[in-house]
Amino acid sequence: MTNNDLIVTSGASLPAFLKWRRLVAVLPGFLALVFSAFLALLSIWSLSPPEIVTNVPPGEFSSARARDYLKAIAVKPHPIGSPAHAEVRDYIFAELVKMGLEPQVQQTTAVKTRTGSSLRAATVQNIVAKLQGTANTRAVLLVAHYDAAPYSLGASDDGAAIASLLETLRALKANAPLKNDVIFLATDGEEIGLLGASAFVQQHPWAKDVGVVLNFEARGDHGPSIMFQTTDGNGWLIDELAENVSRPVANSLSTDIYKLLPNDTDFTVFQQAGMKGLNFAYIEGVGAYHSSLDNMANLDERSLQHHGIYALALARGFGSSNLSGPVSRNEAVYFDLFGRTLIHYSRTTALVLSILVALITVGVIVLGLRRGLLTLSGQAWGFLTLLLSMIGATLLVMLVYWTLAKFAGPRTSFRQGDTWTNQLYLIGFVLLTVAATAIFYSLLRKKVSIDNLATGALIWFLLLLIVSHIYFPGGSYLLAWPLLSALIAWILRFTLPADKLSLTKLCLISTVCAAPGIILISPLIYSTFVAVGISQTSLVVVPVTLLLGLLIINFELMTTNFRWLLPAAATLAAVCFIVVALLQPAYSQRQPRGNELFYVLNADTGKAVWASGAARPDEWTSQFLSKDVTAAPLNDLPWLKGAQFLQQPAPAASLAAPEIKVLDDQVQDQTRRIHLRVSSAREAAMLFIYSDTEISEASVNGQQLPKRQDAPVWGKGEMLVYSAPPREGVELILKTKSEPLIVKVVDRSFEFPANVIVKARPNYIVPAPNSFSDSTIISKSFSLPFTPATVSGNTSH
Ligand SMILES: [Zn+2]
């Protein structure tokens, strides 16, 4: 030991008491770690959504009243084009009428620029209504979508949002009118490519009047509603959020990160149209997302309440402000504290703060060097030790994860998102991170003084602070405040005489100084786990290690006398959590697995099959799939390019095939122009029009498909997916140089053939989201040779 090292305890001379005193010396470090863990859990728990509200005056938001709306919406799965979808549309319309509003249904064809090789289009039916303002500057647009994914009852996605917006309108109507108009927009066709939102932006006259958009979504069935996305130049939006909302959950890092993700909501459409606004969603319980678990029973009503708190407060806030005036283009850095208040400042302020913090950091290190408590090589070792811990802990967690995934089989339930079981694994992995980090510090402590180890770790905060300003300015708060606070302990250490500040005292001070870091970073670690799921858990290891970097003095206290106590205790606790997780049932009603079974009829051959994308039949699909069923490509769905499906021959149901009617056929300048009407004779919810001919120009119900630079408008092997086709069919005008025109038309309805008896699934199995399950598909091929209906003057053929 050097004479600069801290003294653990003062002179115990009696050997009999030695052990006891050594144990007591461990206690402050242990208690400080427990306190830190408690603070971390408190900061995560404090983000729980607000309590439900029942008996409130008519002018306030009540989740109980919103729940009544939702009860009528989340009855059956209601994807666009299904009969249940029409019922939900009519219900929302009727409720708006009851409120004394004059709703409209904007029914129109919406066409989306392609994603991959498929074009998307639909007949959408947006529901719009307006609350007139007294002196409108520009309107506040409140948006949620009322269509649901095929198996989802849409309680959370996005019925809760629709219900909270209806309740918000009701509450607004109960009070004096606002200055600005408030437009309610229930979009259609969100799940199939944001088509309703596109139709509103492009075709509805009210779109140009919008001053601010508030969009509400869900990607799970509980958790706080998070304001996770803003448009650029968000300073004024954040001002309103901070001023009006009592329970804000938001931070600028998530907005920065979300920009990099491919996820889309209707908000993307409004943003691309140049509108300004905020986007909200609750995302916990992702297992319910787009599945039959998204129902009333699983919904946490508090999340509904949280949506409503934002919607009503912000409708009032934005509804009373001047939305037509110029707004500053400032970007804000912002974060909530315990979900109760929003701290926010401009990026310029953030930069000044960071420069100050950087200068103080350098100053503290210089102070330590001057006092002889720090050395340059010691600082390098301190920096390196945290790096080694990050790498070591990441490798350890990845190894354990990989081993569990490989050998524990379905028990690990890893694919099911942020379930209870996965939360146990998460705690286990966090404890393994503690163990790995403690091991590195125990080892390196022999070589490096504690002052160097602890302050060297803080250099990571400085480094990441600089990096954040380059890549994620919105995340700078996560590093600046924790670093600034942590430095206080070291200013004391390097300015007070050594005998004034024992290690125990320094430990307690540094624990208090670590609190801002724990309060800010812990909820983000949990949100990362919720957002990315258990398979990417190694992502949480680095932030956990970084947090531990604030607590190295506590490590010192715990390891000075019992070097392996902390690593051993953390490992033991980690093993306990992982074992308990392994003991959970693999599948249950709350954590079911998905399977796929659908019926396909080829109307050309009259042959039908039961099909499934699974590797083998399970206890439920085996009612139609035999043990020796084999997999083969499904030629009825040619766009799947040879993907393998189990296929069991089935009786052909007497169902009408999709139809094509040629309305007009001409040739002009060697280009054929053919006018078709494509329809589903059985009024199925979806039409897939797959072309084996290159098409140079195309329009759908009069809307031109967008031209592409290096490819034809509609290439060979590409398709148009049309949802909710009108009964009379979809009108296509196609131009092609090839002859004949070869297309395959496939329709899909969201149920099994009516005459087939299908057993109910066991409660631990649900239809797999994003599959073809539980549908009836009919395919028919068409080869259309040139048959002039009318011949124009200069036809050549
Ligand atoms: Zn949604």
Side-chain angles (χ1 to χ4, degrees):
M1 276 175 102
T2 67
N3 56 355
N4 286 324
D5 265 7
L6 291 154
I7 299 149
V8 178
T9 50
S10 52
S13 50
L14 288 172
F17 289 101
L18 200 56
K19 284 233 154 148
W20 165 242
R21 296 203 61 126
R22 282 172 65 182
L23 210 57
V24 170
V26 170
L27 209 58
F30 175 73
L31 289 179
L33 279 185
V34 170
F35 170 75
S36 302
F38 169 75
L39 203 57
L41 292 176
L42 180 74
S43 64
I44 293 168
W45 175 81
S46 70
L47 296 187
S48 306
E51 287 310 309
I52 59 170
V53 174
T54 43
N55 286 320
V56 290
E60 291 307 309
F61 185 93
S62 152
S63 63
R65 287 191 290 248
R67 202 184 156 86
D68 287 339
Y69 293 119
L70 188 54
K71 267 191 212 152
I73 293 170
V75 182
K76 290 180 261 187
H78 47 277
I80 180 171
S82 66
H85 172 273
E87 287 166 23
V88 172
R89 176 203 62 208
D90 293 345
Y91 172 76
I92 297 169
F93 192 92
E95 286 303 314
L96 292 167
V97 171
K98 263 194 223 165
M99 281 178 212
L101 296 170
E102 291 168 17
Q104 317 163 356
V105 173
Q106 183 203 8
Q107 177 166 335
T108 183
T109 301
V111 180
K112 193 192 175 178
T113 43
R114 74 187 52 239
T115 43
S117 66
S118 76
L119 292 145
R120 301 229 156 216
T123 299
V124 293
Q125 302 181 65
N126 293 327
I127 307 165
V128 290
K130 193 189 272 184
L131 268 182
Q132 217 74 45
T134 52
N136 184 39
T137 56
R138 301 196 85 176
V140 181
L141 179 64
L142 300 173
V143 190
H145 66 89
Y146 75 93
D147 66 312
Y151 317 109
S152 160
L153 279 78
S156 282
D157 181 13
D158 198 17
I162 291 280
S164 33
L165 294 188
L166 286 174
E167 167 63 6
T168 298
L169 287 183
R170 192 210 51 73
L172 288 173
K173 276 226 81 169
N175 282 320
L178 298 167
K179 180 166 123 185
N180 295 322
D181 292 350
V182 175
I183 300 172
F184 165 83
L185 168 62
T187 61
D188 192 8
E190 192 273 348
E191 300 292 0
I192 53 164
L194 322 176
L195 287 173
S198 300
F200 178 80
V201 163
Q202 288 164 12
Q203 301 174 35
H204 202 283
W206 292 354
K208 60 180 187 319
D209 184 41
V210 172
V212 66
V213 187
L214 306 171
N215 185 60
F216 294 84
E217 267 288 0
R219 197 216 61 171
D221 57 12
H222 66 275
S225 178
I226 305 166
M227 197 293 288
F228 68 101
Q229 188 183 16
T230 73
T231 47
D232 290 342
N234 60 19
W236 66 284
L237 296 164
I238 298 302
D239 285 347
E240 288 285 345
L241 183 70
E243 200 174 303
N244 293 293
V245 176
S246 58
R247 295 293 293 267
V249 176
N251 69 72
S252 41
L253 178 65
S254 72
T255 308
D256 279 4
I257 289 177
Y258 192 81
K259 279 183 192 158
L260 305 176
L261 302 178
N263 308 24
D264 272 333
T265 64
D266 277 341
F267 193 76
T268 310
V269 173
F270 302 115
Q271 190 175 30
Q272 284 168 353
M275 294 180 185
K276 300 290 169 199
L278 303 171
N279 201 3
F280 305 81
Y282 53 91
I283 64 169
E284 289 178 37
V286 68
Y289 184 49
H290 288 180
S291 92
S292 53
L293 295 184
D294 186 354
N295 56 40
M296 285 295 286
N298 290 335
L299 166 87
D300 184 344
E301 192 176 321
R302 296 178 305 162
S303 301
L304 182 68
Q305 175 71 24
H306 205 183
H307 267 347
I309 286 179
Y310 285 116
L312 183 58
L314 289 173
R316 284 190 178 138
F318 286 115
S320 314
S321 58
N322 180 4
L323 293 177
S324 60
V327 290
S328 87
R329 298 283 307 154
N330 261 340
E331 292 292 343
V333 171
Y334 53 93
F335 55 94
D336 66 85
L337 275 183
F338 299 107
R340 299 301 192 279
T341 179
L342 197 73
I343 312 288
H344 60 116
Y345 42 84
S346 72
R347 276 200 188 164
T348 316
T349 309
L351 190 63
V352 172
L353 172 73
S354 295
I355 291 170
L356 271 176
V357 172
L359 290 175
I360 296 171
T361 313
V362 174
V364 168
I365 290 170
V366 169
L367 206 60
L369 291 169
R370 283 209 167 163
R371 275 286 296 272
L373 291 169
L374 300 181
T375 60
L376 285 177
S377 68
Q379 285 296 287
W381 274 111
F383 182 79
L384 201 66
T385 309
L386 198 68
L387 176 66
L388 288 172
S389 304
M390 288 177 195
I391 296 170
T394 304
L395 290 178
L396 176 67
V397 166
M398 283 170 78
L399 180 74
V400 171
Y401 175 82
W402 179 84
T403 311
L404 289 171
K406 183 105 179 145
F407 299 108
R411 289 220 155 270
T412 51
S413 302
F414 277 149
R415 71 215 134 262
Q416 301 287 346
D418 55 322
T419 57
W420 160 243
T421 314
N422 285 348
Q423 287 176 359
L424 294 173
Y425 284 120
L426 174 70
I427 298 171
F429 293 157
V430 167
L431 288 165
L432 283 180
T433 304
V434 174
T437 307
I439 288 172
F440 279 103
Y441 278 93
S442 289
L443 290 174
L444 270 293
R445 178 63 186 91
K446 284 179 125 184
K447 192 175 164 61
V448 193
S449 76
I450 186 65
D451 296 290
N452 276 315
L453 282 177
T455 50
L458 295 183
I459 298 176
W460 271 101
F461 280 82
L462 180 61
L463 182 76
L464 292 174
L465 180 60
I466 296 166
V467 171
S468 82
H469 274 283
I470 301 168
Y471 297 105
F472 298 106
S476 59
Y477 76 93
L478 273 175
L479 300 147
W481 295 110
L483 178 54
L484 183 63
S485 169
L487 287 171
I488 295 170
W490 294 100
I491 292 173
L492 294 175
R493 163 73 176 142
F494 296 147
T495 51
L496 292 177
D499 56 345
K500 281 268 161 64
L501 197 63
S502 69
L503 180 62
T504 308
K505 271 189 199 156
L506 183 61
C507 164
L508 295 178
I509 293 170
S510 77
T511 303
V512 173
C513 292
I518 293 166
I519 291 167
L520 292 179
I521 298 174
S522 308
L524 212 81
I525 292 172
Y526 184 69
S527 315
T528 306
F529 160 73
V530 170
V532 302
I534 195 78
S535 61
Q536 312 288 321
T537 313
S538 50
L539 279 181
V540 309
V541 173
V542 170
V544 171
T545 317
L546 210 57
L547 264 188
L548 294 174
L550 298 174
L551 299 168
I552 288 164
I553 298 283
N554 308 41
F555 280 28
E556 169 77 358
L557 268 187
M558 288 193 68
T559 52
T560 306
N561 292 323
F562 305 95
R563 205 160 147 217
W564 302 110
L565 176 70
L566 184 57
T571 308
L572 185 71
V575 169
C576 289
F577 276 97
I578 291 172
V579 168
V580 172
L582 282 170
L583 291 175
Q584 304 300 309
Y587 300 108
S588 62
Q589 192 166 1
R590 198 66 186 92
Q591 296 178 35
R593 68 180 166 84
N595 68 1
E596 183 184 37
L597 179 74
F598 56 104
Y599 178 88
V600 187
L601 173 65
N602 184 320
D604 303 326
T605 62
K607 290 203 168 113
V609 292
W610 286 107
S612 172
R616 63 190 68 84
D618 65 16
E619 61 268 49
W620 183 77
T621 56
S622 58
Q623 65 183 310
F624 295 111
L625 305 176
S626 64
K627 239 190 217 150
D628 52 359
V629 65
T630 52
L634 200 51
N635 296 327
D636 299 291
L637 311 175
W639 60 90
L640 296 179
K641 312 265 186 250
Q644 301 280 310
F645 287 88
L646 301 177
Q647 291 174 55
Q648 181 86 41
S654 59
L655 289 168
E659 290 169 357
I660 288 188
K661 196 169 175 206
V662 180
L663 300 179
D664 188 30
D665 203 354
Q666 302 179 19
V667 171
Q668 228 165 17
D669 304 330
Q670 272 137 32
T671 301
R672 181 178 178 196
R673 178 188 178 278
I674 184 166
H675 184 175
L676 305 173
R677 183 177 290 154
V678 185
S679 59
S680 166
R682 60 192 184 102
E683 293 175 39
M686 287 177 96
L687 274 176
F688 302 79
I689 306 165
Y690 177 86
S691 173
D692 254 328
T693 307
E694 189 175 299
I695 293 159
S696 56
E697 256 181 69
S699 73
V700 184
N701 292 343
Q703 290 202 36
Q704 211 68 29
L705 294 188
K707 286 226 171 8
R708 286 191 291 178
Q709 213 145 51
D710 305 315
V713 161
W714 187 343
K716 210 173 151 157
E718 295 187 331
M719 70 168 166
L720 171 74
V721 182
Y722 199 103
S723 296
R727 180 175 305 181
E728 63 277 12
V730 179
E731 304 231 346
L732 298 177
I733 297 176
L734 309 175
K735 287 191 180 173
T736 172
K737 288 202 193 294
S738 311
E739 224 262 304
L741 175 68
I742 299 170
V743 291
K744 190 184 274 268
V745 182
V746 180
D747 69 8
R748 174 189 181 187
S749 58
F750 296 109
E751 78 271 301
F752 290 120
N755 59 337
V756 181
I757 296 163
V758 184
K759 274 193 298 186
R761 284 180 169 84
N763 65 5
Y764 56 89
I765 307 180
V766 295
N770 309 317
S771 71
F772 285 104
S773 201
D774 297 40
S775 45
T776 299
I777 291 169
I778 305 182
S779 80
K780 188 163 169 61
S781 305
F782 297 87
S783 175
L784 302 169
F786 178 57
T787 48
T790 45
V791 181
S792 64
N794 53 352
T795 298
S796 59
H797 182 240

